[in-house]
Amino acid sequence: MSVDTRWLTSEQLATWVRLAAVLELLPATLDSQLRRDAELTHFDYYVLAMLSEAPEHTLRMTALAERTTATLARLSHVVQRLEGRGLLERFPCPEDRRATNARLTEAGWQKVQDSAPGHVAIVREKVIDALSPEQVTQLGEITGAILRRLDPDGDRAAIYQRYSPPGDS
Amino acid sequence: MSVDTRWLTSEQLATWVRLAAVLELLPATLDSQLRRDAELTHFDYYVLAMLSEAPEHTLRMTALAERTTATLARLSHVVQRLEGRGLLERFPCPEDRRATNARLTEAGWQKVQDSAPGHVAIVREKVIDALSPEQVTQLGEITGAILRRLDPDGDRAAIYQRYSPPGDS
DNA sequence: ACGCGTAGGTTGTAGCTACAACCAATTGGG
DNA sequence: CCCAATTGGTTGTAGCTACAACCTACGCGT
C-alpha cells in the first residue's frame, strides 16, 4: 500500500471529524444570523466590512477578492447584487482601464455599522468565548499553519493583516 | 454601549480572520479534489462514508442526517441524486412506516473505497501534516468546545464517535 | 376510537457558487 | 512597434443549499 493511502490514527480522526462538523455548522450559523438581522450573507458582510476599512471606502475588485478570500468571478456576482441594492457602487479605475473600483455608498456604510455588533456578538458567543485565552492563541497558530498549506503563495494572506472595528475611524 | 457591542482584541481578531479564511478555503479545496477525482462533493462523500460504516451499509435518513451534520431536507435532495446515480438505494423501513432507509449499493461501496485514499491524502496534506501532534490534540479540544456552543444538545454529536476506514471491515 | 401534536420525510423554488468561456487593456520580448 | 501572453474583470449556466410548505404515520390523552 502506497504512502498516500495511510489512514489516520484515531486521535487524528476524532479531530478531523470535529473540524468537519465545525466547517459545516459555523458558516451556516453566521449566515443565518446575518440574513435574519441584516439581509446579508456572511460573504456579503465581509465584502462590505473590507470596503469599510479601506481608504475612501474604496478597493479594486482584485484587492477586494484577496481580502475576502474569494474568486473574482464570485465577487463580481456578489458586487453586482450589492450594487443593485444600493450598498456600493462600481466605477472604472482611472489608473488602469482594465480595472474596476468598488466603493461603499452611504447606505452601505450605514449597513456595516448597523450589522457589525450583531455579527461580532455571534462570533464571540460561538467561538471566542467558547475558548480559553490560550486556546485562542493556539487556534490562531493552527489556522495560520493550515492557511500556509491551503494558500502557499499567501495571495490571500493579505488577510493576515489588522482588522479594526468599522465606525472606529 | 451595551455589552453586546464589545469588539475583539487584536489577537482575537487575528485568530478569527484566519479561521474565517480556513472556513472559506478548506471546504472548497476538499470539494474540488473529490469532484475532480470522484465526481462527488465533499458532502456526497460523507453520506457514502457514513453508510459504509453502518451495519448492513444501511441507515435511516434521520440517523444519516445526524452523522453528516445536515438537515433532513438537504439530505433528501442529495440522497435522491445519489440514488439516481446508482450509488445507494432507498426503501421503506419495516418497523416504522414513516421512515426511510438508505443503503449503499455495490457500486456505492466500490465508490467509497476508490475515493477514500485520495480524500484522506488531502486531509493529511492540508490539515494533519501541517500541524504538530500537540496541535492536533489542541485542535480536537478547540473544535469540541466550539461544537458544544453550536450544537448544545449534541444532536449532531453522534459525530463525536469513532470513524474507521472504509474497507477496513 | 378519535383528535391533536409530533416525528419522519419529500418537494418546490429562489438564490448563491463553481466552472468555463469570453472580452478588453496592458506588458514584455524580439 | 507589434503581437503573444498575462492581467483584470464579466457573464452564462448547471448544480447545490436553504427555507417553507406540505404530507403521512405514530402515539398519547381522554
Side-chain angles (χ1 to χ4, degrees), chain B residues 10-40:
Chain B
S10 69
E11 179 171 14
Q12 290 171 341
L13 207 36
T15 294
W16 168 241
V17 170
R18 283 180 183 77
L19 178 56
V22 170
L23 253 30
E24 200 65 53
L25 293 176
L26 189 49
T29 301
L30 300 176
D31 259 351
S32 71
Q33 181 271 325
L34 279 168
R35 249 184 229 278
R36 181 166 36 78
D37 298 346
E39 302 199 297
L40 248 33

CSV table of all heavy atoms in Angstrom, one decimal, chain B residues 10-40:
chain,number,residue,atom,x,y,z
B,10,SER,N,-7.0,42.6,19.4
B,10,SER,CA,-6.4,42.4,18.1
B,10,SER,C,-5.9,40.9,17.9
B,10,SER,O,-5.9,40.4,16.8
B,10,SER,CB,-5.2,43.3,17.9
B,10,SER,OG,-4.2,43.0,18.8
B,11,GLU,N,-5.6,40.3,19.0
B,11,GLU,CA,-5.3,38.8,18.9
B,11,GLU,C,-6.5,38.0,18.6
B,11,GLU,O,-6.4,37.1,17.7
B,11,GLU,CB,-4.6,38.3,20.2
B,11,GLU,CG,-4.3,36.8,20.0
B,11,GLU,CD,-3.4,36.2,21.1
B,11,GLU,OE1,-3.3,36.9,22.2
B,11,GLU,OE2,-2.9,35.1,20.9
B,12,GLN,N,-7.6,38.3,19.2
B,12,GLN,CA,-8.8,37.6,18.9
B,12,GLN,C,-9.2,37.8,17.5
B,12,GLN,O,-9.6,36.8,16.8
B,12,GLN,CB,-9.9,38.1,19.8
B,12,GLN,CG,-9.7,37.7,21.3
B,12,GLN,CD,-10.7,38.3,22.2
B,12,GLN,OE1,-11.4,39.3,21.9
B,12,GLN,NE2,-10.9,37.8,23.4
B,13,LEU,N,-9.0,39.0,17.0
B,13,LEU,CA,-9.4,39.3,15.7
B,13,LEU,C,-8.5,38.6,14.7
B,13,LEU,O,-9.0,38.0,13.7
B,13,LEU,CB,-9.2,40.8,15.5
B,13,LEU,CG,-10.0,41.5,14.5
B,13,LEU,CD1,-11.4,41.0,14.4
B,13,LEU,CD2,-10.1,43.0,14.9
B,14,ALA,N,-7.2,38.5,15.0
B,14,ALA,CA,-6.3,37.9,14.0
B,14,ALA,C,-6.7,36.4,13.9
B,14,ALA,O,-6.7,35.8,12.8
B,14,ALA,CB,-4.9,38.0,14.6
B,15,THR,N,-7.0,35.8,15.1
B,15,THR,CA,-7.5,34.4,15.1
B,15,THR,C,-8.8,34.2,14.3
B,15,THR,O,-8.9,33.3,13.4
B,15,THR,CB,-7.7,33.9,16.5
B,15,THR,OG1,-6.5,33.9,17.2
B,15,THR,CG2,-8.3,32.5,16.5
B,16,TRP,N,-9.7,35.1,14.5
B,16,TRP,CA,-11.0,35.0,13.8
B,16,TRP,C,-10.8,35.2,12.3
B,16,TRP,O,-11.4,34.4,11.5
B,16,TRP,CB,-12.0,36.0,14.4
B,16,TRP,CG,-13.2,36.1,13.5
B,16,TRP,CD1,-13.7,37.2,12.8
B,16,TRP,CD2,-14.1,35.0,13.2
B,16,TRP,NE1,-14.8,36.9,12.1
B,16,TRP,CE2,-15.0,35.5,12.3
B,16,TRP,CE3,-14.1,33.7,13.5
B,16,TRP,CZ2,-16.1,34.7,11.8
B,16,TRP,CZ3,-15.1,32.9,12.9
B,16,TRP,CH2,-16.1,33.4,12.1
B,17,VAL,N,-10.0,36.1,11.9
B,17,VAL,CA,-9.8,36.4,10.5
B,17,VAL,C,-9.2,35.1,9.8
B,17,VAL,O,-9.6,34.7,8.7
B,17,VAL,CB,-9.0,37.6,10.2
B,17,VAL,CG1,-8.6,37.7,8.8
B,17,VAL,CG2,-9.7,38.9,10.6
B,18,ARG,N,-8.3,34.5,10.4
B,18,ARG,CA,-7.7,33.3,9.9
B,18,ARG,C,-8.7,32.2,9.8
B,18,ARG,O,-8.7,31.4,8.9
B,18,ARG,CB,-6.5,32.9,10.7
B,18,ARG,CG,-5.2,33.6,10.6
B,18,ARG,CD,-4.2,33.0,11.5
B,18,ARG,NE,-2.9,33.7,11.5
B,18,ARG,CZ,-2.7,34.9,12.1
B,18,ARG,NH1,-3.7,35.5,12.7
B,18,ARG,NH2,-1.5,35.4,12.0
B,19,LEU,N,-9.4,32.0,10.9
B,19,LEU,CA,-10.4,31.0,10.9
B,19,LEU,C,-11.4,31.2,9.8
B,19,LEU,O,-11.8,30.2,9.1
B,19,LEU,CB,-11.1,30.9,12.3
B,19,LEU,CG,-12.2,29.9,12.4
B,19,LEU,CD1,-11.7,28.5,12.1
B,19,LEU,CD2,-12.8,29.9,13.8
B,20,ALA,N,-11.9,32.4,9.6
B,20,ALA,CA,-12.8,32.7,8.6
B,20,ALA,C,-12.2,32.3,7.2
B,20,ALA,O,-12.9,31.7,6.4
B,20,ALA,CB,-13.2,34.2,8.6
B,21,ALA,N,-10.9,32.5,7.0
B,21,ALA,CA,-10.3,32.2,5.8
B,21,ALA,C,-10.3,30.6,5.6
B,21,ALA,O,-10.5,30.1,4.5
B,21,ALA,CB,-8.9,32.7,5.7
B,22,VAL,N,-10.0,29.9,6.7
B,22,VAL,CA,-10.0,28.5,6.6
B,22,VAL,C,-11.4,28.0,6.3
B,22,VAL,O,-11.6,27.1,5.4
B,22,VAL,CB,-9.5,27.9,7.9
B,22,VAL,CG1,-9.8,26.4,7.9
B,22,VAL,CG2,-8.0,28.2,8.1
B,23,LEU,N,-12.4,28.6,6.9
B,23,LEU,CA,-13.8,28.2,6.7
B,23,LEU,C,-14.1,28.3,5.2
B,23,LEU,O,-15.0,27.6,4.7
B,23,LEU,CB,-14.7,29.1,7.5
B,23,LEU,CG,-15.4,28.6,8.7
B,23,LEU,CD1,-14.6,27.5,9.4
B,23,LEU,CD2,-15.7,29.7,9.7
B,24,GLU,N,-13.5,29.3,4.6
B,24,GLU,CA,-13.8,29.5,3.1
B,24,GLU,C,-13.0,28.6,2.2
B,24,GLU,O,-13.6,28.0,1.3
B,24,GLU,CB,-13.5,31.0,2.9
B,24,GLU,CG,-14.1,31.6,1.6
B,24,GLU,CD,-15.6,31.7,1.7
B,24,GLU,OE1,-16.1,32.2,2.7
B,24,GLU,OE2,-16.3,31.1,0.8
B,25,LEU,N,-11.7,28.5,2.5
B,25,LEU,CA,-10.8,27.8,1.6
B,25,LEU,C,-10.8,26.3,1.7
B,25,LEU,O,-10.7,25.5,0.8
B,25,LEU,CB,-9.4,28.3,1.8
B,25,LEU,CG,-9.2,29.8,1.3
B,25,LEU,CD1,-7.7,30.2,1.7
B,25,LEU,CD2,-9.4,29.9,-0.1
B,26,LEU,N,-10.9,25.8,3.0
B,26,LEU,CA,-10.8,24.3,3.2
B,26,LEU,C,-11.9,23.5,2.5
B,26,LEU,O,-11.6,22.6,1.8
B,26,LEU,CB,-10.6,24.0,4.7
B,26,LEU,CG,-10.3,22.6,5.0
B,26,LEU,CD1,-9.1,22.0,4.2
B,26,LEU,CD2,-10.0,22.5,6.5
B,27,PRO,N,-13.2,23.9,2.7
B,27,PRO,CA,-14.2,23.2,2.1
B,27,PRO,C,-14.1,23.2,0.5
B,27,PRO,O,-14.3,22.2,-0.1
B,27,PRO,CB,-15.5,23.9,2.5
B,27,PRO,CG,-15.1,24.5,3.8
B,27,PRO,CD,-13.7,24.9,3.7
B,28,ALA,N,-13.7,24.3,0.0
B,28,ALA,CA,-13.5,24.5,-1.4
B,28,ALA,C,-12.5,23.5,-1.9
B,28,ALA,O,-12.6,22.9,-3.0
B,28,ALA,CB,-13.2,25.9,-1.8
B,29,THR,N,-11.4,23.4,-1.2
B,29,THR,CA,-10.3,22.5,-1.6
B,29,THR,C,-10.7,21.1,-1.6
B,29,THR,O,-10.4,20.3,-2.5
B,29,THR,CB,-9.1,22.7,-0.6
B,29,THR,OG1,-8.7,24.1,-0.6
B,29,THR,CG2,-7.9,21.8,-0.9
B,30,LEU,N,-11.4,20.7,-0.5
B,30,LEU,CA,-11.9,19.3,-0.4
B,30,LEU,C,-12.9,19.0,-1.5
B,30,LEU,O,-12.8,17.9,-2.1
B,30,LEU,CB,-12.5,19.1,1.0
B,30,LEU,CG,-11.6,19.3,2.2
B,30,LEU,CD1,-12.4,19.1,3.4
B,30,LEU,CD2,-10.4,18.4,2.1
B,31,ASP,N,-13.8,19.9,-1.7
B,31,ASP,CA,-14.8,19.7,-2.8
B,31,ASP,C,-14.1,19.5,-4.1
B,31,ASP,O,-14.5,18.6,-4.9
B,31,ASP,CB,-15.7,20.9,-2.9
B,31,ASP,CG,-17.0,20.7,-2.2
B,31,ASP,OD1,-17.3,19.5,-1.8
B,31,ASP,OD2,-17.8,21.6,-2.0
B,32,SER,N,-13.2,20.3,-4.4
B,32,SER,CA,-12.7,20.3,-5.8
B,32,SER,C,-11.8,19.0,-6.0
B,32,SER,O,-11.8,18.4,-7.1
B,32,SER,CB,-11.9,21.6,-6.2
B,32,SER,OG,-10.7,21.7,-5.5
B,33,GLN,N,-11.1,18.6,-5.0
B,33,GLN,CA,-10.4,17.3,-5.1
B,33,GLN,C,-11.3,16.1,-5.4
B,33,GLN,O,-11.2,15.4,-6.3
B,33,GLN,CB,-9.6,17.0,-3.9
B,33,GLN,CG,-8.7,15.7,-3.9
B,33,GLN,CD,-9.5,14.5,-3.5
B,33,GLN,OE1,-10.3,14.5,-2.5
B,33,GLN,NE2,-9.2,13.4,-4.1
B,34,LEU,N,-12.4,16.1,-4.6
B,34,LEU,CA,-13.3,15.0,-4.8
B,34,LEU,C,-14.1,15.0,-6.1
B,34,LEU,O,-14.4,14.0,-6.7
B,34,LEU,CB,-14.3,14.9,-3.6
B,34,LEU,CG,-13.7,14.2,-2.3
B,34,LEU,CD1,-14.6,14.5,-1.1
B,34,LEU,CD2,-13.6,12.7,-2.5
B,35,ARG,N,-14.5,16.2,-6.4
B,35,ARG,CA,-15.2,16.4,-7.7
B,35,ARG,C,-14.4,16.0,-8.9
B,35,ARG,O,-14.8,15.3,-9.8
B,35,ARG,CB,-15.5,17.9,-7.9
B,35,ARG,CG,-16.9,18.3,-7.8
B,35,ARG,CD,-17.0,19.7,-8.1
B,35,ARG,NE,-17.7,20.4,-7.1
B,35,ARG,CZ,-19.1,20.5,-7.1
B,35,ARG,NH1,-19.7,19.9,-8.1
B,35,ARG,NH2,-19.7,21.1,-6.2
B,36,ARG,N,-13.1,16.4,-8.9
B,36,ARG,CA,-12.2,16.1,-10.0
B,36,ARG,C,-12.0,14.6,-10.0
B,36,ARG,O,-12.1,13.9,-11.1
B,36,ARG,CB,-10.9,16.9,-9.7
B,36,ARG,CG,-9.9,16.7,-10.8
B,36,ARG,CD,-8.7,17.7,-10.7
B,36,ARG,NE,-8.4,18.1,-9.3
B,36,ARG,CZ,-7.7,17.4,-8.5
B,36,ARG,NH1,-7.2,16.3,-8.8
B,36,ARG,NH2,-7.4,17.9,-7.2
B,37,ASP,N,-11.6,14.0,-8.8
B,37,ASP,CA,-11.2,12.6,-8.8
B,37,ASP,C,-12.3,11.6,-8.7
B,37,ASP,O,-12.1,10.4,-9.0
B,37,ASP,CB,-10.2,12.4,-7.7
B,37,ASP,CG,-8.9,13.2,-7.9
B,37,ASP,OD1,-8.7,13.8,-9.0
B,37,ASP,OD2,-8.2,13.4,-6.9
B,38,ALA,N,-13.5,12.0,-8.2
B,38,ALA,CA,-14.5,11.0,-8.0
B,38,ALA,C,-15.9,11.5,-8.4
B,38,ALA,O,-16.9,10.8,-8.1
B,38,ALA,CB,-14.5,10.6,-6.5
B,39,GLU,N,-16.0,12.7,-8.9
B,39,GLU,CA,-17.3,13.2,-9.2
B,39,GLU,C,-18.3,13.2,-8.1
B,39,GLU,O,-19.4,12.8,-8.2
B,39,GLU,CB,-17.9,12.5,-10.4
B,39,GLU,CG,-17.0,12.6,-11.6
B,39,GLU,CD,-17.7,12.3,-12.9
B,39,GLU,OE1,-18.2,11.1,-13.0
B,39,GLU,OE2,-17.8,13.2,-13.8
B,40,LEU,N,-17.7,13.6,-6.9
B,40,LEU,CA,-18.5,13.6,-5.7
B,40,LEU,C,-18.2,15.0,-5.0
B,40,LEU,O,-17.1,15.4,-5.0
B,40,LEU,CB,-18.0,12.5,-4.8
B,40,LEU,CG,-18.8,11.3,-4.4
B,40,LEU,CD1,-19.7,10.8,-5.5
B,40,LEU,CD2,-17.9,10.1,-4.0
